[in-house]
Amino acid sequence: MSSLEEPLGLDKLPSMSTIDRIQRFSSGACRPRVDNLGMGNCWIEGRSCSTSNRCNEDDEEYTAETFPWKRQTRDLSQDDSFCQKTLTKGRKSMKFGMIDDSFSDCQNSPKCNTKDLQDLAYKFLNGIPRFVKIVEVGPRDGLQNEKNTVPAAVKIELIHRLASTGLSVIEATSFVSPKWVPQLADAKDVMQAVHNLRGIRLPVLTPNLKGFEAAIAAGAREVAVFASASESFSKSNINCSIEESLVRFRAVTRAAKQLSIPVRGYVSCVAGCPVEGPIPPSKVAYVARELYDMGCFEISLGDTIGVGTPGTVVPMLLAVMAVVPIEKLAVHFHDTYGQSLPNILVSLQMGISTVDSSVAGLGGCPYAKGASGNVATEDVVYMLNGLGVKTNVDLSKLMLAGDFISNHLGRPSTSKTAIALNRVTSDASKISY
């Protein structure tokens, strides 16, 4: 472990409660200035910032530059190692996959000043939304693949705990055949117990008209349909082709429109399929546009098996953004290869402002072999807090909800944020003063 990777020594830890420690990373933190891009004063000590989350209101606005997608390759013709090149050339700033050499040029120029560095920082941060809506999918997508049955009472308690965190959208359950997803056989009981939660949207998945009717009878006031960009996955997941699924969903959206019920659309396998491999962005764009045209108010783009990277997510988003308004799009990443947060960050830079996530990193798909859990909501909130992006979510309460369901499942949370903050607090409590 290098010195840059060493954890903070216990002798340097102040005495504070878990809540205090989390509040240091709360959404009240401002966007980091160039002189504090690391874990410096802006995050640890905090600053007196305005509600706009900017450290200096006098700084002029910068318009984000849009660069065409361009694949870059490293020049390996020199004898120096990549590490040495990084040290000598300085860090590169990147926007939508295009490498910008202005940082290293500025770094090596005697004319470079703080204002130039601020320009570079805002070029990176300006495209990120001030507020991000988080759609919590733990109670449905997170629990649908559990081997052992989770009692309805536990699911109901989890939803209540999540509602107390400030989350405004919680995907409650799915009205699918118990034959295919037995873990959600209690959908009616769960929905009837939580549908009166005030100020909370509780969408439920409805794969067909029969599921839609059952959901409405149980008290659902928002539903979702889910198509796939992969023909093979569509057949294995919902037993029909992509076109056949779209016919089913048009029937659902027509029925929903008559009752003024909003419909959210999901597109799965947007980066890759366990059978077909990489999925062309044009296929994702086609399905997304079909869902949008049939009346879905929002389209969530899901990397079901977690194979996406910023290099594949960017062209996929560009293709979809060409046919669906960006404000109608959301992203949904699984963390199989640890790429969820980088993928979310690049999505935010492109203007996406809605992110799906699952408390404690719960999740997986019964029809996608190798798919791991969703990105943990705790990790998403922690990152957004660090960027000065508001979510209205209380991280401390969110961690408690994650602890609750993890304890019931008999395994630790997969949220790196929850693990780290709990460990730091535990270590600090052992220190005598």
Side-chain angles (χ1 to χ4, degrees), residues 78-330:
Q78 303 298 323
D79 293 334
D80 293 340
S81 67
F82 177 67
C83 254
Q84 185 60 35
K85 290 180 183 179
T86 303
L87 291 172
T88 56
K89 291 184 178 180
R91 296 184 179 182
K92 306 283 188 179
S93 64
M94 184 163 62
K95 182 77 170 180
F96 298 175
M98 177 108 176
I99 293 180
D100 184 351
D101 291 322
S102 57
F103 184 87
S104 56
D105 293 340
C106 176
Q107 187 183 42
N108 297 323
S109 170
K111 297 181 180 180
C112 178
N113 55 38
T114 301
K115 186 64 165 58
D116 294 328
L117 293 176
Q118 290 176 340
D119 290 353
L120 291 172
Y122 281 116
K123 181 188 293 186
F124 176 80
L125 294 173
N126 192 57
I128 296 177
R130 298 292 182 185
F131 176 85
V132 167
K133 178 181 70 180
I134 293 180
V135 177
E136 172 59 52
V137 300
R140 195 280 302 178
D141 195 19
L143 296 179
Q144 69 175 3
N145 202 35
E146 289 297 319
K147 294 180 180 180
N148 299 318
T149 300
V150 178
V154 173
K155 296 175 184 175
I156 293 167
E157 177 65 17
L158 174 62
I159 292 172
H160 278 276
R161 287 174 179 254
L162 290 169
S164 73
T165 69
L167 287 161
S168 61
V169 187
I170 303 170
E171 191 180 64
T173 186
S174 177
F175 284 81
V176 297
S177 170
K179 175 183 176 182
W180 300 111
V181 187
Q183 189 58 260
L184 301 179
D186 54 7
K188 178 181 177 180
D189 296 334
V190 171
M191 197 65 224
Q192 288 181 335
V194 302
H195 77 277
N196 283 327
L197 277 173
R198 302 184 66 177
I200 308 292
R201 288 168 45 201
L202 296 163
V204 298
L205 257 63
T206 55
N208 49 41
L209 195 54
K210 182 179 179 180
F212 172 79
E213 292 170 347
I216 298 304
R221 292 190 292 269
E222 181 177 326
V223 301
V225 295
F226 48 100
S228 175
S230 160
E231 198 69 57
S232 300
F233 189 76
S234 181
K235 291 177 180 178
S236 66
N237 190 29
I238 53 178
N239 300 305
C240 64
S241 68
I242 293 174
E243 290 303 325
E244 289 170 339
S245 73
L246 294 175
V247 171
R248 292 182 187 178
F249 301 148
R250 289 189 187 97
V252 172
T253 55
R254 283 195 298 268
K257 186 175 182 180
Q258 293 177 352
L259 298 175
S260 299
I261 298 292
V263 182
R264 192 180 201 235
Y266 283 92
V267 184
S268 60
C269 295
V270 300
C273 166
V275 177
E276 298 179 16
I279 299 296
S282 59
K283 286 190 174 183
V284 182
Y286 169 74
V287 177
R289 179 56 189 261
E290 289 295 309
L291 292 174
Y292 178 68
D293 285 346
M294 70 176 67
C296 292
F297 75 91
E298 188 171 84
I299 314 297
S300 178
L301 305 170
D303 180 13
T304 310
I305 58 175
V307 295
T309 68
T312 55
V313 168
V314 169
M316 180 274 294
L317 286 177
L318 288 174
V320 178
M321 287 162 56
V323 296
V324 178
I326 191 169
E327 66 271 15
K328 301 295 185 180
L329 298 176

